[in-house]
Amino acid sequence: MKRRPRVLILTYYWPPSGGAGVQRWLKFVKHLPDLGYDPVVYTVEDGEYPSEDYGLFKDVPEGLEIIKTPIWEPYDLYKKFIGQKKEEKVNAGFISENKKSSKLQDIAVWLRGNLFIPDARKFWIKPSIKYLMNYLRSRPVDIVISSGPPHSMHLIAQELKHKLEIPWIADFRDPWTNIDFYKDLKLSNWADKKHKRLEKGVLTKSDKVITVGPTLAKELEALGAKDVKVITNGYDQDDFVTDPVTVDEKISIVHIGSMNRDRNPENLWKYLGKRVQTDAEFAKKLEVRLIGKVDIAVLESIEKEGLNTYLNKIDYLAHSEVVAEQKRSKVLLLVVNNTPNALGILTGKMFEYMAAERPILMIGPKAGDAAKIIDQNYGEVFGFEEENFDAFFNQDFDTLKYSSDPKDYERKALTGKLVEVMDEIIAAHKESLG
C-alpha cells in the first residue's frame, strides 16, 4: 500500500488559542486527512495568547500527531515593566484599552521592535530547530509548512530546509514589513534592515509562498518571492450547522473581532450620531454591538457622537457563539484598516460574514481585495470618507437578503487547493532527486 504523504506544520497559534490567528491552519489540518495527507502539527506547549477558546478542540482530527515544546517569551518581563498584571492578556495589533500609552509602554515597544527580531518568539527558534532535526531523522516528512506571523516560524522552517533539504512552503497570513503596525515599532535603521533581510531570505529560499489575497501576493513578489499562490481564508460549513437563529428586532450593527484605532469607522459613527438626533424611530431600534477587543480611540469616537446609549460591548465570545451572533445580526460591519496597505487587507471574518447570509456594511477602499468580493452581492462598500449611509439604512432588512454563492471559500475546498500545491512541490522535489 502506498504511504500517505506527511506534512509538518509549524504554527504558534493552536487550540486553546482563540481569535483569528488559529482558524486558518486549524481548518486546513481538519480537512487534510480526508484529502490524502497526514498532518503533523508542531506548536508551543504554553503560548501567550490574546484569547483562549477551548471549544476549538472539536476541530482537531482524532489521532492527529501534535508536537509541543516549551517556549520562553519575554511577556512576563514586559507586563512587569509596564505595570500590567501577570494574568492579564497582551493585546495583539497595538490595541490600547487605556487613555494614554505611558512612557514605559513606549520604551517597551522600542525594545520589542529593535531587540526581538523578528518577534518575541525568537527564543524558540534554536531549540525548535534542534528538536525537529532529531525528530525528522527518525520520523521524516515529505514537506514542511510554516505559518506567520509570528515570523519566527519561517526561520525555523528555513533552517530545516537548509540542513535536511525538505521542501518548504511559507504561508503569510499577514504581511511582515508591510503590516499596518510596522511603522509603530519605532525601529532603528539597523533593525529595519534586519527585518527586511530576514523577510527576503524567507521569500526567496522557500519552495513556495502562499498568502491570503492577490494584492499581498503582488507585494511579496515585489520583495523577491516567485509566483506566489493565493489561498484565501474562508468559512467552515460545519460551523454553520446550528440551531435556528432569529434575526434581531433591533437594527443591530455588529462588528466581530478586534477593532484598533486604524479600524475605527469615524464616518459611520458621525452618521449614526446625526441620524439618532433626527430620526426617533431609528433611534429606538439602533444597537451597536462590538464583540472583541476595542481600542480606546474607538470608544472615544462613539462617545463623542453621543452613541454610548446604543453601544453593547462584549469582550470575547467563543467561536461557536460568534457564528450565532453573525446569523442573528441585522447588519454585519466589516471595517478595513485605514492604513497604506488597505488595498490588500482581507480579514478572515469576512468569509464567515458571507456564509451567515446577513447584509454586510463594509468601510474601506473600493478598489481593495475585500471590496471586490463583497461587491459580488454580499453587501455594500463605502469609502473611508463617505458620510451618507441613508440608502443603506433605509432598506427593509427584514425582507432584504444579500447573498451569493460562497462555496469557493469553504474551508474544505480551500484545503483542496493547498493539496494541489503540495502535490506539485513534492513531485518536483522527487524529480530533482532523480
Side-chain angles (χ1 to χ4, degrees), residues 247-248 252 325-332 352-361 377-379 396-403:
V247 176
D248 293 333
S252 54
E325 287 290 334
Q326 291 167 346
K327 294 175 75 171
R328 73 163 53 96
S329 304
K330 211 72 152 201
V331 175
L332 287 165
E352 292 193 344
Y353 278 15
M354 289 155 52
E357 296 188 334
R358 297 303 307 152
I360 298 171
L361 168 59
N377 202 30
Y378 293 106
D396 183 355
F397 292 114
D398 291 325
T399 58
L400 175 69
K401 186 178 181 182
Y402 285 94
S403 66

Side-chain angles (χ1 to χ4, degrees), residues 120-180:
R121 283 79 182 199
K122 63 172 288 186
F123 302 100
W124 199 48
I125 296 173
K126 286 185 178 180
S128 294
I129 293 167
K130 182 179 180 181
Y131 179 93
L132 290 171
M133 288 283 291
N134 290 327
Y135 171 86
L136 291 170
R137 286 189 177 106
S138 60
R139 299 291 309 278
V141 298
D142 298 276
I143 194 165
V144 173
I145 300 177
S146 55
S147 182
H151 299 296
S152 287
M153 305 303 103
H154 299 316
L155 301 186
I156 297 169
Q158 181 175 312
E159 193 66 12
L160 295 178
K161 174 179 170 59
H162 172 67
K163 291 187 174 180
L164 300 177
E165 297 185 356
I166 304 172
W168 163 39
I169 296 173
D171 173 47
F172 280 75
R173 302 190 321 276
D174 284 308
W176 186 332
T177 58
N178 198 33
I179 199 161
D180 46 36

